[in-house]
Amino acid sequence: MAPITRRMTFPKVVIERDADSEESSSDEEEEEVEEEEEEEEENGVAKSEDDAEKIEVGLNAKGKGKAPITISLKKVCKVCKKPGHEAGFKGATYIDCPMKPCFLCKMPGHTTMTCPHRVTTEYGVVPAPRRNTRKPFEYVFERQLRPSIPLIKPKYVIPDQVNCAVIRYHSRRVTSLEFHPTKNNILLSGDKKGQVGVWDFEKVHERVVYGNIHSCIVNNMRFNPTNDCMIYSASSDGTISCTDLETGISFSPMNLNPDGWQGPSSWKMLYGMDINSEKGLVLVADNFGFLHLVDTRSNHETSNAILIHKKGSKVVGLHCNPVQPDLLLSCGNDHFARIWDMRRMESGSSIYNLAHRRVVNSAYFSPISGTKILTTSQDNRLRIWDSIVGNMDSPSREIVHSHDFNRHLTPFKAEWDPKDPSESLAVVGRYISENYNGAALHPIDFIDTSTGQLIAEVMDPNITTISPVNKLHPRDDILASGSSRSLFIWRPKEKSEVVEEKDERKIVICGRADEKKRGRKYGGDDSDDEAFTSKLKKTKSKKRQVEI
DNA sequence: AATAAATGATTCC
DNA sequence: TGGAATCCCTTTAT
């Protein structure tokens, strides 16, 4: 092995193993340890006989004259740097550092393994006991107020099997998804690089990627309510683009960086965006706390920007109420979601301010009545705010759920199922992994927000990456998810039951324009690959697989 | 196969 | 107040 040849040139090295000895580890030591880590590599499991052991390595003949270098080699937790335990993957199961608060619920005293909120692998298990603030008379009250509430919850149809996919469709990770408002089989996808994809997932191979619409992250996309062919997109390049999907030709009704790059302190980015069709407005919000309005007819900014969140903070989400066009919901990095009356939009005039403990990744009105709000916060909690039953001082329910990653991944956003008449089903990707039959997978969770129950966790052994971006189809039982650079379409399993052995899922593996041609994992060339299953299974990641 | 980089909120000084 | 340091389950390319 390489280390041996390398050591030939080194002076005599003395490695000291003293896992049990009490000695504060200094930074310099750790640097050195890296150098000789191979000694322990072979077996991740602690070998107790190695403790307090001194190893001499090196060439005595050549090392003569030079002073031996002594290296202290201790088994140390990579998280807290303390000896006695180790955090990290053991096979497909992650072992937490016990010195840190729970990675899931953030409370001290236990790890995710023993967390009362831990999601188990069985469907429908209540993740945790949690307070129910609603008294019985409130339920009666709710029934009187909203007699349309179905008495019996409909049975949820969960799209839980990958039906088709485009692998490596985008050149960077997927950041936003949108279904076409009328054409049932068209999915729009935006990525971190600014590209926008249009995919006909019924005819799996029909796909287009437009690369010249934005220069960086596509944060949000909306169809023009009066013209199905046109989309608006908001990007971190500071522009809104209006693009004709047929031709790919676009123009920018708004550009907040007309003078180009003047440094990070002045560069404006657009995040939250929504369209108010009643008022003919595109609403966008930037990374400095401001809301901007663009008239959809003139395609020009209508008024001055309004400060709606803490000055200098990112406003990541905007949502217009589906029933009351005057109501606007915003959320952002100042740890608040805020409700506004569009008729009186001025700084500080929000009707309600919904407090969170961390950044609020998303806030959505419930899709049918618009009376409930679902928020996703980086404190690992989903919250439901019910304007009819509860007041807006505190959420009517908090659901602990793992989604707190804030770099490298697109932020997680829990979204309502637009088809659920009871307005309770929500979908959200999960960050933390679970050992599923020896593979560490990150499922996509379906949660009944009225009970906090995990209704379903969907996953596929071929998808080893996290799926932070998820969208439920407005009419069909279809889930679209963006995982890293790939797109997946899920349908209910029962619909594909006929083909149990012969898997008919369609996967298209495509390269990208700027990708270097080199040996490909998935074999073949950039052409489509229908018989994906066998190939994918051969190449699927082994890194977190354990022998069973 | 090992590693670095991309990248963003938060904390600390 | 602002810049630097820090941070637990990533993903990708080299």
Side-chain angles (χ1 to χ4, degrees):
Chain A
M1 278 175 100
I4 295 164
T5 53
R6 198 173 61 193
R7 282 191 197 107
M8 300 288 275
T9 62
F10 286 168
K12 184 176 176 181
V13 177
V14 180
I15 298 175
E16 232 174 42
R17 287 177 193 252
D18 55 347
D20 289 331
S21 79
E22 193 54 44
E23 187 199 338
S24 63
S25 61
S26 69
D27 287 337
E28 311 90 76
E29 272 175 3
E30 280 162 32
E31 294 278 278
E32 301 280 4
V33 169
E34 300 260 290
E35 205 57 29
E36 297 296 335
E37 220 164 31
E38 307 87 13
E39 296 295 332
E40 290 191 311
E41 208 83 316
E42 206 48 44
N43 192 347
V45 184
K47 288 178 284 182
S48 54
E49 71 264 23
D50 279 348
D51 290 351
E53 180 188 356
K54 210 180 244 184
I55 302 173
E56 294 200 359
V57 205
L59 262 194
N60 287 331
K62 295 207 171 163
K64 66 185 173 204
K66 292 195 177 183
I69 299 168
T70 303
I71 295 169
S72 179
L73 193 60
K74 287 184 284 191
K75 291 192 180 78
V76 132
C77 170
K78 68 175 179 185
V79 176
C80 71
K81 312 281 191 285
K82 293 207 174 67
H85 64 273
E86 279 178 279
F89 275 102
K90 281 233 152 46
T93 306
Y94 190 90
I95 309 297
D96 268 7
C97 169
M99 310 303 279
K100 293 275 181 168
C102 173
F103 190 52
L104 175 56
C105 75
K106 310 299 176 194
M107 304 302 275
H110 65 271
T111 64
T112 45
M113 206 64 91
T114 51
C115 179
H117 301 279
R118 186 173 180 88
V119 174
T120 72
T121 53
E122 294 143 308
Y123 283 13
V125 170
V126 184
R130 53 176 60 80
R131 80 201 166 98
N132 187 347
T133 56
R134 297 159 69 175
K135 298 166 191 71
F137 75 87
E138 288 178 320
Y139 282 101
V140 177
F141 194 50
E142 182 178 356
R143 290 267 173 258
Q144 286 172 343
L145 279 170
R146 296 174 53 202
S148 62
I149 297 175
L151 289 173
I152 299 166
K153 278 219 181 90
K155 209 181 161 202
Y156 298 122
V157 182
I158 306 295
D160 54 356
Q161 186 166 72
V162 172
N163 175 259
C164 55
V166 198
I167 314 274
R168 299 201 299 169
Y169 182 54
H170 286 275
S171 54
R172 292 288 183 275
R173 63 168 204 249
V174 173
T175 54
S176 57
L177 291 176
E178 205 69 25
F179 280 105
H180 194 284
T182 54
K183 294 176 186 163
N184 281 344
N185 44 341
I186 300 293
L187 179 69
L188 218 60
S189 53
D191 72 23
K192 192 172 159 292
K193 207 186 177 191
Q195 301 190 323
V196 173
V198 188
W199 180 32
D200 184 336
F201 54 85
E202 212 57 69
K203 304 176 196 133
V204 188
H205 305 272
E206 288 193 15
R207 55 188 196 271
V208 190
V209 178
Y210 295 120
N212 54 355
I213 298 174
H214 289 292
S215 57
C216 60
I217 314 180
V218 180
N219 290 308
N220 255 304
M221 300 177 295
R222 288 289 184 278
F223 279 85
N224 185 333
T226 57
N227 181 356
D228 275 359
C229 272
M230 304 294 284
I231 60 153
Y232 288 98
S233 48
S235 162
S236 291
D237 65 12
T239 69
I240 299 176
S241 271
C242 188
T243 306
D244 184 326
L245 288 184
E246 304 281 321
T247 62
I249 294 169
S250 68
F251 65 95
S252 298
M254 171 171 281
N255 180 5
L256 295 183
N257 302 303
D259 302 325
W261 178 257
Q262 305 285 325
S265 57
S266 63
W267 185 259
K268 290 179 177 164
M269 311 188 224
L270 290 175
Y271 283 85
M273 180 180 72
D274 201 8
I275 294 184
N276 187 329
S277 46
E278 305 263 341
K279 296 177 187 296
L281 285 176
V282 180
L283 303 92
V284 268
D286 66 24
N287 56 329
F288 289 104
F290 286 88
L291 170 76
H292 307 258
L293 305 176
V294 170
D295 186 284
T296 53
R297 268 179 294 262
S298 68
N299 276 317
H300 280 100
E301 193 160 1
T302 60
S303 56
N304 291 330
I306 307 154
L307 184 69
I308 58 170
H309 280 261
K310 185 183 169 189
K311 198 167 188 179
S313 75
K314 212 194 278 183
V315 182
V316 292
L318 287 180
H319 190 212
C320 299
N321 191 285
V323 176
Q324 297 285 335
D326 288 323
L327 284 182
L328 172 68
L329 178 60
S330 65
C331 65
N333 283 22
D334 64 354
H335 300 191
F336 279 97
R338 304 182 196 273
I339 305 172
W340 304 84
D341 186 338
M342 289 290 291
R343 293 164 298 188
R344 194 171 160 267
M345 282 302 296
E346 47 191 78
S347 293
S349 70
S350 49
I351 308 171
Y352 293 110
N353 299 304
L354 316 182
H356 295 68
R357 284 198 288 274
R358 294 277 180 214
V359 166
V360 188
N361 287 349
S362 67
Y364 295 109
F365 287 116
S366 55
I368 300 161
S369 71
T371 59
K372 292 193 269 190
I373 288 170
L374 168 63
T375 66
T376 308
S377 171
Q378 285 186 21
D379 66 354
N380 262 359
R381 273 142 184 89
L382 306 176
R383 289 179 177 80
I384 313 297
W385 312 71
D386 194 321
S387 64
I388 296 214
V389 172
N391 56 38
M392 290 284 136
D393 296 335
S394 65
S396 60
R397 182 171 292 277
E398 287 186 7
I399 301 164
V400 173
H401 179 265
S402 170
H403 54 248
D404 65 332
F405 215 47
N406 61 357
R407 345 169 244 192
H408 311 126
L409 292 179
T410 306
F412 291 85
K413 298 176 174 190
E415 301 201 5
W416 298 101
D417 180 357
K419 302 177 294 297
D420 173 22
S422 71
E423 297 187 311
S424 53
L425 190 62
V427 67
V428 60
R430 197 194 303 171
Y431 167 36
I432 203 167
S433 71
E434 195 84 42
N435 184 342
Y436 295 98
N437 258 334
L441 302 176
H442 310 265
I444 299 159
D445 291 327
F446 285 79
I447 293 168
D448 184 335
T449 58
S450 67
T451 62
Q453 239 189 8
L454 179 72
I455 299 298
E457 41 180 9
V458 314
M459 74 211 67
D460 185 295
N462 293 305
I463 306 173
T464 53
T465 47
I466 295 170
S467 306
V469 192
N470 297 287
K471 202 95 201 172
L472 285 163
H473 198 283
R475 291 166 299 277
D476 297 338
D477 292 322
I478 289 177
L479 165 70
S481 40
S483 192
S484 187
R485 290 161 50 182
S486 305
L487 300 175
F488 296 91
I489 293 288
W490 308 73
R491 288 178 199 268
K493 205 168 277 171
E494 52 266 35
K495 292 194 177 170
S496 355
E497 237 166 26
V498 204
V499 282
E500 207 164 86
E501 269 314 302
K502 186 173 166 292
D503 200 327
E504 289 201 345
R505 297 181 292 181
K506 293 194 177 76
I507 305 288
V508 177
I509 299 163
C510 36
R512 56 179 220 248
D514 57 348
E515 192 166 54
K516 276 185 255 161
K517 299 279 178 202
R518 39 197 268 285
R520 282 174 203 80
K521 267 195 201 171
Y522 302 112
D525 49 21
D526 283 348
S527 68
D528 304 335
D529 183 0
E530 301 246 2
F532 92 100
T533 317
S534 55
K535 288 193 179 178
L536 262 192
K537 281 197 172 145
K538 270 182 224 155
T539 55
K540 75 180 164 190
S541 166
K542 280 183 205 125
K543 63 177 170 180
R544 279 167 202 164
Q545 300 240 329
V546 86
E547 297 299 325
I548 40 174

